[in-house]
Amino acid sequence: MTAVATVLFVGNSFVTRNEVPALVSALAATAGVVVRTATIAAGGASLRRHHNSGAISAALARDRWDQVVLQEQSTLPIKNRARFHENVRAVRDEIVAASAASGHPSPPAIVLYNTWARRSARPTQVDLDTAVAAIATEIDARVAPAGRAWEVVLASHPEVELYDRDGSHPTAAGSFLAACALALTMFADRRSQILAPPVPKVDPGTAAVLLDAARSVA
């Protein structure tokens, strides 16, 4: 049976690089879910910046969203966990207030996009994961474990290049792996039905490997 879902993505280049929302939609489509997305993003932006801009409230006033994906500036959870948690709480409160003001019966579910450590600082992945898990538990959000999926692939398939040349941003394969972690988390009720769709710049065999890696941690 076909389902329809609406998803608002909030973040920065880790969302927009290689069009992660479109990749999530393509993955969901293989399991019979039609996804309509919108994105609020700016290069290097923190959640605090988006909160202060009012863009999230405006998006919630315009449309009814089933899920909101939040992606923090990639190193902030490691460098300043308290500030990261404050940012997430502020955005959570904004989502709840904006949904109530718009007359929606309940706020959208929140999904935290748990990203990856930089190539030169991979041991910090543990701190990043811990920081995200703590605030997710506090606000009852789901966690899309993209960073953990990266660690699986880096260990088991080092021939797959996930990092772009700057050692931070994702290649096409890295973005697809992140999208797999997101889709498997966001559409958990259809997780077993999700397949690897055709992906620009990623061969089908590699796409299947990446989806399997995401399944192992989702």
Side-chain angles (χ1 to χ4, degrees):
M1 181 181 296
T2 300
V4 178
T6 55
V7 182
L8 177 64
F9 287 82
V10 181
N12 55 44
S13 56
F14 281 21
V15 168
T16 58
R17 182 70 65 94
N18 302 308
E19 300 182 3
V20 168
L23 293 172
V24 170
S25 296
L27 283 155
T30 69
V33 181
V34 176
V35 182
R36 180 171 63 83
T37 70
T39 300
I40 299 170
S46 67
L47 291 175
R48 176 65 61 174
R49 175 175 167 184
H50 293 306
H51 170 65
N52 290 343
S53 75
I56 300 170
S57 293
L60 289 165
R62 287 193 304 270
D63 292 288
R64 174 73 173 97
W65 302 99
D66 298 314
Q67 303 187 50
V68 177
V69 176
L70 303 180
Q71 182 247 316
E72 182 59 275
Q73 192 281 330
S74 60
T75 62
L76 183 60
I78 301 165
K79 294 178 177 178
N80 193 332
R81 181 182 297 196
R83 177 62 61 83
F84 162 55
H85 287 180
E86 289 171 3
N87 292 354
V88 173
R89 292 187 195 104
V91 174
R92 183 275 312 271
D93 292 346
E94 180 182 11
I95 290 170
V96 171
S99 295
S102 298
H104 298 145
S106 60
I110 294 176
V111 178
L112 299 182
Y113 177 5
N114 190 159
T115 57
W116 48 91
R118 294 188 175 181
R119 190 201 297 270
S120 60
R122 281 182 54 198
T124 62
Q125 186 69 50
V126 174
D127 292 333
L128 199 165
D129 292 346
T130 301
V132 174
I135 192 63
T137 298
E138 179 184 321
I139 70 167
D140 193 26
R142 284 173 282 173
V143 176
R148 289 173 55 203
W150 273 50
E151 288 300 308
V152 170
V153 174
L154 290 169
S156 60
H157 292 278
E159 74 281 3
V160 178
E161 186 56 75
L162 301 179
Y163 289 101
D164 207 345
R165 288 177 294 179
D166 64 2
S168 173
H169 286 91
T171 60
S175 291
F176 180 68
L177 179 57
C180 289
L182 284 160
L184 291 167
T185 301
M186 295 160 64
F187 308 108
D189 58 329
R190 301 197 181 205
R191 184 176 295 171
S192 64
Q193 302 171 49
I194 292 176
L195 303 174
V199 185
K201 301 181 182 179
V202 181
D203 68 76
T206 299
V209 164
L210 296 173
L211 179 57
D212 284 346
R215 282 192 198 282
S216 73
V217 297

